Amino acid sequence: MALSHRTGRTPGIPCSPTLLAGTTLCLLLAACGGGGSDSASGNDDDAGGGPPLVVTPPVDAMAACAALSGFTLSAADLSLPTTGAAVTGATYLTGGTLGNHCQVRGAIRPVDPSAPDITFAVNLPTTWNGKAIHFGGGGFNGRLIDGTEQIRFGPPDKPAPLALGYATFGDDGGHRSSSITDGSFAAHDEALANYGGLALKKTHEVAMKLVQARYGRAPTQRYFLGTSTGGRDALAHIQRWPADYDGVVANEPALNYSGTRLSNLAVGRALYLNGGAGWLNVAKTLLVQRTAMTSCDSLDGATDGIVSNVESCRLLNTQVLNALRCPGGVDTGNTCLSDAQLDTVRAIESPLDFTTYTLANGVTRAGGYNLLEGALVAGPYTSRDLGTRPVPGNPATSADANMYVTGDQWAKYFVTRLTSFDSLGFDPLNPGLYTARVQAASEQTDATNPDLSAFLARGGRLIVLHGLADEVISPNSTIDYYNRVVTTVGRPAVDAGIRFYTVPGMGHGTGVFIPTWDSLAALENWVERGLAPATVTAFDAVAGTYGRTRPLCEYPAYPTYRGSGSLDAAMNFSCVTAVGDPLACAHLPVALTSYKGGNTRGEELTLQVDPTTLAYTITIDASLQRTAGTQRTGTLLAQGQCSYASAESGAVFTFSAGGLVHGGVAAASGGGYLPLLAFRDTFVNTTAGAGFNTIAGDFNAVGADHSAGGTLTTSAGTGKIRNAGTWQTCQATGTPPGFMLYEANCSPATKGYLQYSAVRNAYELMLTSTCGGAGCPSTPTSGGTVTGSIVAGMVGGNPMPLVLLRAADASSSGMRFYAKQATMLPGTGDGRYAMNSTDGAAVVDATVLGSSLTRGALADVLDFDTPVVGVAQTRAASPGHLLFNNGALGQLEGGRLLLGVRH
């Protein structure tokens, strides 16, 4: 239908009798027109000029709204087959948060009288900003998108676009239903075609004609905002009708629509075939999620409950699944998974590859869900789960897995058109007689055409956002599509017109991180001002972590913690792209290797690690708490940066340079773990009385002592090891506690000699004297009492004596961490350290840079050589003290001993 243009300041309106009831109505609407340009560039609803109209003086907005009640369109006025459209109501609304506007409702009539109407909503603000927004639908649609909503994932205090002056519109997808998981409409061909995208075009054309009629001109900019099915709607529209919109935001788009539903069916079959052997209850599902989170949370440098480095985490799938397997693969309860249940996890996690047929636009894959990389299908952060019963209903209901419910509806109505069809019998990899029907539905509903060249060539701008933990629509399908777009239109065109953000921790409007950011403002700035968005800061809308911020990184980058500052501040994260395998650990041994060391209860031990299987064995060699020869075994799970989760009550093992290992061993009683240090290389000297110069020197010491009852006290002091193999300890009695420069005549003092044990590869700590002060005789080098042992660790050729104390009367035991008593300058201990603590509490990594110390939200300044040379003291109200020794760190803080090794 042609639209006339005026040559004066007030634009003209269409006056066809098909549109309006009469000349008077035409003149009323013309009087309400706004100023500005007559049309938007590329608007397919614009037409040529005509003679100027004679207009009457302006009338009020209420009258203009009422005039629209007679608005009709014939089938010829729309580009797609219909039997016309009509406004069924035009109501002028005042006040409220949406501002004064004309609320228009109407219907687009089908060609087939048995098909449902398309119900549409158009909102025309009195104060119009000259722009329009089309809102997409959700699920199977069936409810009217009325255009009054706020921006999805937008700032909570930002008014809805209608209140900002946008003309807004939406529709019901071409059918009505009380549930967005009701697919029964698809049994009707025209209703399915409308849902597949035709309703979008029809609604767009009606809305543009209403805008033209009300304001006398077309919008200057037209935007489409959609989420989930609405995101699919947005992409489908610009793929089919690229001239209709100037900018689009597609959140978590269900673009590979048929692939998603086929994947839903594959998951259902894994869950429910064989009598439900593969079904996972909530406890087992939570176990899967916890195990994955433990393995992957820290891969981005931050232990914050968000898996950001998803692709590195994916490399751990085999290890995680092995750790979850019940003995023999037989279900033994909620602490493990049977082989059938592991197959279900794989079905959820893995992509579905179609080898016997293709979907629309040559698609041969449906992306899997990141269940082993942070996606949640149970627990408080999602409303979707795997159901409450091992045998589903027919049809599937809310008691069944959410994924299967939508797959079941799709199989019944989109494909087979059999309402009682048993969808478990539908093989998504080989649909047999239904293959052609699957492909036909795919052509109608999928938004996977990668050729966006027409849209981009006319300056169209596209923002796509998808949560990497989406449990409803696979982000991997969106990633596949984006990569196909890059291949099809070229990287320069994509860089100029598309931004794709992937969000760790974000589910389908759910998850542990729900981003809040102003996507509409970003789109406006890009389309209208040429300011392309880059890395965006979003704040978290999740109640428990509300307000924390993260950068929204452009794919394939992800946010990684810089190592210092608050974990709640985006400024402390960088968007990075992993190169190579960040899980690879150069410090992991290449063959079965033994490490000698000890823990903070004074237990001497040997750690053996098999790098092929990551199996480990800890053997207790000497202890006051358990019998020598006691062993603990387990399997390490890589967490990145050479750190590995273990079966030792939460202890994390870290392999550092020079053959140094830091970890923990489960306590003999009382729960928790005991921090340990161990060394691949040790100093061995079997000659008594000489030859100890390699490990000789004056040392500062920090440590912990435990009474027989388990009471912990910390300790600081100095120690001496001589070339003759004798040793001495000193401890100042003043404040700060314990530290002092070594003095031969110190008091109090303990003295003795070292005696090598070839059986244990350690030195017995022989106590022969407690004489302190001047006049004491030389240290006796025979006899005495065994009071512990020293493991003479060598790290990169440098000595790191580890003193393990075990009182002869069994009254106490403990550890001393030694570091040379030598001048220390800022920069000496620079690095990032994996930490653990004698109180068993989770300790985030510590970063030392010059004189600064950060550990999570803690930030402090170090004063070096304070109170004595070789010690660094923090400036906190209760100062802590740190020793550094060849990549290891010992720290006294708040009544506990922390040990760390440099990543």
Side-chain angles (χ1 to χ4, degrees), residues 286-663:
L286 291 173
L287 174 65
V288 173
Q289 294 173 178
R290 285 196 305 270
T291 305
M293 184 62 65
T294 298
S295 299
C296 298
D297 189 5
S298 64
L299 292 180
D300 57 2
T303 304
D304 56 0
I306 301 174
V307 177
S308 294
N309 190 350
V310 166
E311 293 311 312
S312 293
C313 179
R314 204 179 305 283
L315 299 176
L316 298 176
N317 284 181
T318 298
Q319 294 178 53
V320 170
L321 292 172
N322 288 342
L324 289 167
R325 187 173 187 260
C326 294
V330 178
D331 194 348
T332 57
N334 290 336
T335 60
C336 60
L337 270 64
S338 68
D339 285 346
Q341 291 160 346
L342 289 173
D343 285 342
T344 296
V345 173
R346 293 185 183 97
I348 298 172
E349 170 75 25
S350 302
L352 194 65
D353 290 310
F354 309 111
T355 58
T356 63
Y357 67 101
T358 61
L359 299 177
N361 301 301
V363 171
T364 58
R365 166 177 285 199
Y369 297 86
N370 294 330
L371 180 59
L372 299 179
E373 297 82 27
L376 305 176
V377 291
Y381 294 103
T382 180
S383 57
R384 291 94 176 184
D385 55 33
L386 299 181
T388 59
R389 57 189 182 184
V391 178
N394 187 11
T397 71
S398 59
D400 303 313
N402 179 263
M403 293 179 185
Y404 182 61
V405 170
T406 50
D408 179 51
Q409 289 285 301
W410 183 82
K412 282 177 165 62
Y413 299 110
F414 285 67
V415 181
T416 68
R417 305 286 178 73
L418 300 173
T419 59
S420 61
F421 182 74
D422 182 1
S423 299
L424 293 180
F426 187 98
D427 183 352
L429 295 178
N430 184 16
L433 296 176
Y434 293 113
T435 301
R437 185 70 211 133
V438 168
Q439 292 176 310
S442 176
E443 290 289 344
Q444 290 179 299
T445 61
D446 296 359
T448 53
N449 183 352
D451 187 1
L452 299 181
S453 56
F455 173 74
L456 297 172
R458 58 179 298 273
R461 298 292 181 254
L462 169 63
I463 296 174
V464 181
L465 178 141
H466 209 140
L468 290 171
D470 195 319
E471 75 278 38
V472 176
I473 303 299
S474 170
N476 299 308
S477 284
T478 304
I479 290 170
D480 286 346
Y481 174 70
Y482 174 79
N483 288 330
R484 292 181 69 213
V485 171
V486 173
T487 300
T488 302
V489 304
R491 173 56 66 184
V494 169
D495 290 345
I498 300 176
R499 293 294 180 270
F500 176 30
Y501 299 101
T502 50
V503 187
M506 178 188 180
H508 202 70
T510 58
V512 295
F513 186 89
I514 302 177
T516 300
W517 71 299
D518 198 337
S519 58
L520 178 57
L523 191 63
E524 288 174 319
N525 284 328
W526 198 5
V527 171
E528 300 169 28
R529 301 172 184 87
L531 302 175
T535 299
V536 178
T537 296
F539 76 80
D540 191 359
V542 176
T545 50
Y546 188 87
R548 66 174 170 175
T549 57
R550 288 288 186 277
L552 290 185
C553 301
E554 292 183 58
Y555 175 82
Y558 61 89
T560 187
Y561 183 54
R562 293 179 177 178
S564 62
S566 171
L567 293 177
D568 294 333
M571 64 182 293
N572 299 319
F573 290 78
S574 299
C575 290
V576 302
T577 302
V579 177
D581 181 6
L583 294 180
C585 178
H587 308 312
L588 197 68
V590 297
L592 185 68
T593 300
S594 294
Y595 297 81
K596 183 66 182 183
N599 63 40
T600 53
R601 284 299 294 262
E603 292 182 303
E604 186 185 305
L605 55 83
T606 299
L607 167 68
Q608 189 175 72
V609 177
D610 183 344
T612 302
T613 62
L614 292 181
Y616 68 86
T617 301
I618 299 172
T619 303
I620 301 299
D621 298 325
S623 171
L624 296 181
Q625 291 79 44
R626 41 193 154 193
T627 304
T630 299
Q631 290 189 330
R632 290 192 56 81
T633 60
T635 301
L636 300 175
L637 289 175
Q639 295 184 320
Q641 300 178 348
C642 288
S643 290
Y644 298 78
S646 73
E648 301 305 310
S649 301
V652 174
F653 283 71
T654 301
F655 294 80
S656 190
L660 174 63
V661 179
H662 161 265

Side-chain angles (χ1 to χ4, degrees), residues 1-6 14 38-40 42-50 209 212 217-218:
M1 186 197 74
L3 304 182
S4 63
H5 288 250
R6 286 183 48 82
D38 292 335
S39 65
N43 188 344
D44 58 342
D45 298 312
D46 294 346
K209 295 181 190 302
Q212 183 78 33
R217 66 181 176 93

Side-chain angles (χ1 to χ4, degrees), residues 12 31 62 264 267 310 312 366 673 820 840:
M62 183 180 297
N264 295 159
V267 171
V310 166
S312 293
Y673 69 87
K820 284 289 184 72

Side-chain angles (χ1 to χ4, degrees), residues 121-403:
V122 179
N123 305 289
L124 303 167
T126 300
T127 304
W128 185 41
N129 65 8
K131 298 181 280 190
I133 287 179
H134 189 168
F135 286 98
F140 287 130
N141 285 347
R143 66 180 182 88
L144 179 63
I145 303 300
D146 65 9
T148 62
E149 63 190 79
Q150 289 179 278
I151 305 162
R152 191 74 171 104
F153 308 120
D157 57 348
K158 180 166 183 169
L162 175 57
L164 296 173
Y166 278 93
T168 63
F169 56 98
D171 59 71
D172 63 359
H175 62 279
R176 301 305 296 268
S177 176
S178 60
S179 172
I180 62 170
T181 58
D182 175 12
S184 60
F185 70 91
H188 195 292
D189 287 340
E190 189 168 353
L192 176 56
N194 282 331
Y195 173 75
L198 299 189
L200 302 171
K201 179 64 171 175
K202 296 170 185 177
T203 299
H204 167 86
E205 291 182 350
V206 170
M208 291 300 99
K209 295 181 190 302
L210 280 166
V211 168
Q212 183 78 33
R214 170 62 180 85
Y215 302 113
R217 66 181 176 93
T220 54
Q221 278 85 33
R222 294 153 302 169
Y223 298 128
F224 197 124
L225 308 182
T227 298
S228 190
T229 291
R232 181 210 65 165
D233 292 345
L235 292 170
H237 205 113
I238 62 173
Q239 289 167 18
R240 300 184 194 184
W241 305 287
D244 282 358
Y245 292 103
D246 304 296
V248 167
V249 176
N251 295 310
E252 50 200 32
L255 53 90
N256 189 356
Y257 190 86
S258 301
T260 298
R261 301 303 172 222
L262 289 160
S263 175
N264 295 159
L265 292 170
V267 171
R269 286 161 62 87
L271 284 166
Y272 299 126
L273 288 180
N274 300 320
W279 181 70
L280 280 72
N281 62 22
V282 171
K284 286 176 177 283
T285 307
L286 291 173
L287 174 65
V288 173
Q289 294 173 178
R290 285 196 305 270
T291 305
M293 184 62 65
T294 298
S295 299
C296 298
D297 189 5
S298 64
L299 292 180
D300 57 2
T303 304
D304 56 0
I306 301 174
V307 177
S308 294
N309 190 350
V310 166
E311 293 311 312
S312 293
C313 179
R314 204 179 305 283
L315 299 176
L316 298 176
N317 284 181
T318 298
Q319 294 178 53
V320 170
L321 292 172
N322 288 342
L324 289 167
R325 187 173 187 260
C326 294
V330 178
D331 194 348
T332 57
N334 290 336
T335 60
C336 60
L337 270 64
S338 68
D339 285 346
Q341 291 160 346
L342 289 173
D343 285 342
T344 296
V345 173
R346 293 185 183 97
I348 298 172
E349 170 75 25
S350 302
L352 194 65
D353 290 310
F354 309 111
T355 58
T356 63
Y357 67 101
T358 61
L359 299 177
N361 301 301
V363 171
T364 58
R365 166 177 285 199
Y369 297 86
N370 294 330
L371 180 59
L372 299 179
E373 297 82 27
L376 305 176
V377 291
Y381 294 103
T382 180
S383 57
R384 291 94 176 184
D385 55 33
L386 299 181
T388 59
R389 57 189 182 184
V391 178
N394 187 11
T397 71
S398 59
D400 303 313
N402 179 263
M403 293 179 185

